[in-house]
Amino acid sequence: MHEIARVTLENEMDLILAHRRSMRLGEVAGLSLAAQTSFATAVSEVARNTIEHGKSGCLVLQVEVESRDTYIVACINDEQLEDDYNRQGLSYAKRLVDKYNVTTKGAETSIELFYSVSPAFKIDIHKLDEWRQLFRNEPPVSAYDEIKRKNEQLQELSEKLKKSEAQYKTLTGSLPLIIFSIDTEGQLLYANEWLTRLTGFTADGLNTSGWKAIVYEEDYPSFSLLLKSNIRQGATTVKTQTRIRHKVGNDYLWHQVSLSPLTDDKGALLYWIGYIVDIHAQKVVEETLKDNAELKQTQEELKRNQQTLEQYIEELNRSNHELQQFAFVASHDLQEPVRKLLFYSDFLMSRYASAIDKKGLDYLNSMQAAAQRMRNLIHDLLTFSQINREEVRFKEVDLNKIVADACQDFEMVIEEKGATLHIATLPTVWSDERMMRQLFENIISNSLKYSKPSEKPVIDISCEVKDKTIELRFSDNGIGFNQNYLPQMFTLFQRLHTRENFEGTGMGLAICNKIVEMHGGKIWAEGKEGEGAIFYVSLPLKAAGN
């Protein structure tokens, strides 16, 4: 429904206005004169009942364009009516329109009369605005109509003024400073609630007793100049600093007082608007800096150190970037020769094993194992170098899907070791999906790799929401570790076990640590030799800056 015009229904003159504007709406909608008359008559019948009822009703003329057909609609709103009363005008009106609707909500009854616009033509937003403007600018049909319009405009203006005044009071009351206005004689006209809240005095109280009750004695002579009209005459803004007594503690704190003139259209002064804001902390700092030359010198030195630190940070960032580029290029270029080593050694093992003696085969096996370790190391180094903050693509990631994919990747290892995984329901987090998969895979792989040879692995994955973070918990019954080695576990190329016992490059947990840092989280672990390990990952529900 789109409202075009409305008429309050209070007397017979309003009934004439309702009839005329209903006719006018039918006219602009392209209805014939007979159709206009039928619609306006139906409206008048229902509107007359509302006026005779003696309650304050309202007619709202609207257009319905949402459905396949187009209708002009008259909605008569009134207080809830008795059933017999409803039938008086409606019984005739409903025969003149295409359809009608009667609804009662609370203490109000609405009667809607629909008249079809046929053939229907396109009524867009521009056409509706044109019709509203037409009704708004339509000449009054009588002196009563003109007076009614002006009265409605005055009421609307009054409501806007009340709303504006309420908003102004709310705004000034919410600001932590005193806002006030004074007349040309220095008398307070208005002050927000902060005046009483800070000083304990109202505007009337200060006008009666004078500002001496709250202004510091030594500061009062300069402050009192603001209240004298001959001092303020011709000034655009007047400012001074003074100490004002707070009612809590009776301490005198420094404030800045500012006055600005408010004039009418002709430039004549109406009154002054001012504010009083607490600058005590700033004043104390200024006076301390003024009296302490050594502190000033320290401040300058700190400033120079800050600039030097920023230069170091910039150089470090550039160095890190170059190092990442080097690691990426180096690891990428190293893959090809390693791939050839694996290919040719495998070729020799499969085609010429019978032609090579046992010592040669041992050398080939060692070479192939070394090349395989080199390939794994290059792969992990490449993965580590590619974890960049600029490439993190945050989105809503379902951790249940992530852990399911990770388990599927390790399906063969899980089956070979007879591992059991207990996985709780996990939440959705704002993160990089690729990095989350890498994180889960590395930790689960770690638990499977360092399991006890004589015991089937059991891995528990759970989660707990804490404030604005989630804490993931990965626990296993593996070989565990000595807590003394905890600080070095998440650094590059650190291994707690020999390669003969457990394969690995020593980069898996370093990759996990970098991924978690990229997400603004933390990773840590607990363990005991022979009794398993627990890895904790804390992640924000929302990444920083989102």
Side-chain angles (χ1 to χ4, degrees), residues 420-480:
T420 302
L421 278 78
H422 301 291
I423 304 172
T425 302
L426 303 179
T428 298
V429 296
W430 187 256
S431 59
D432 183 288
E433 184 175 3
R434 175 178 56 86
M435 291 186 181
M436 283 297 103
R437 183 176 289 110
Q438 182 76 49
L439 174 69
F440 273 73
E441 287 180 354
N442 282 11
I443 297 178
I444 294 173
S445 173
N446 207 65
S447 295
L448 292 171
K449 182 188 303 180
Y450 297 106
S451 60
K452 297 176 183 177
S454 60
E455 189 174 343
K456 293 182 179 181
V458 177
I459 302 172
D460 290 294
I461 303 175
S462 59
C463 175
E464 182 180 356
V465 178
K466 294 185 176 181
D467 194 14
K468 295 182 180 179
T469 64
I470 64 164
E471 186 176 288
L472 298 168
R473 186 176 183 271
F474 301 80
S475 67
D476 61 55
N477 62 339
I479 63 174

Side-chain angles (χ1 to χ4, degrees), residues 15 25 38 47 96 106 167 175 186 200 227 269 272 281 296 304 316 324 346 351 390 451 518:
L15 188 60
L25 179 58
S38 296
L96 301 175
Q167 290 175 340
L175 297 173
L227 306 179
L269 178 65
W272 292 79
K296 287 184 178 180
R304 289 193 298 269
L316 181 60
Q324 286 179 344
D346 185 64
R351 298 289 298 274
E390 293 79 6
S451 60
M518 289 293 179

Side-chain angles (χ1 to χ4, degrees), residues 68-111:
R68 181 178 300 176
D69 298 324
T70 302
Y71 295 92
I72 56 174
V73 185
C75 180
I76 297 91
N77 300 315
D78 196 0
E79 292 186 3
Q80 187 174 357
L81 307 179
E82 300 295 334
D83 291 341
D84 292 341
Y85 188 81
N86 275 332
R87 289 195 290 268
Q88 292 179 11
L90 186 60
S91 60
Y92 178 66
K94 64 184 182 182
R95 295 197 299 268
L96 301 175
V97 295
D98 294 298
K99 62 178 182 176
Y100 70 96
N101 185 34
V102 179
T103 58
T104 298
K105 185 177 181 181
E108 185 178 88
T109 297
S110 296
I111 300 176

Side-chain angles (χ1 to χ4, degrees), residues 320-333 381 385:
N320 285 338
H321 179 71
E322 291 173 353
L323 185 60
Q324 286 179 344
Q325 291 295 107
F326 170 76
F328 176 79
V329 173
S331 59
H332 185 271
D333 292 345
L381 183 61
S385 66

Side-chain angles (χ1 to χ4, degrees), residues 179-192:
I179 298 176
F180 65 96
S181 60
I182 61 173
D183 61 18
T184 55
E185 300 302 321
Q187 293 291 301
L188 279 167
L189 300 174
Y190 165 80
N192 66 347

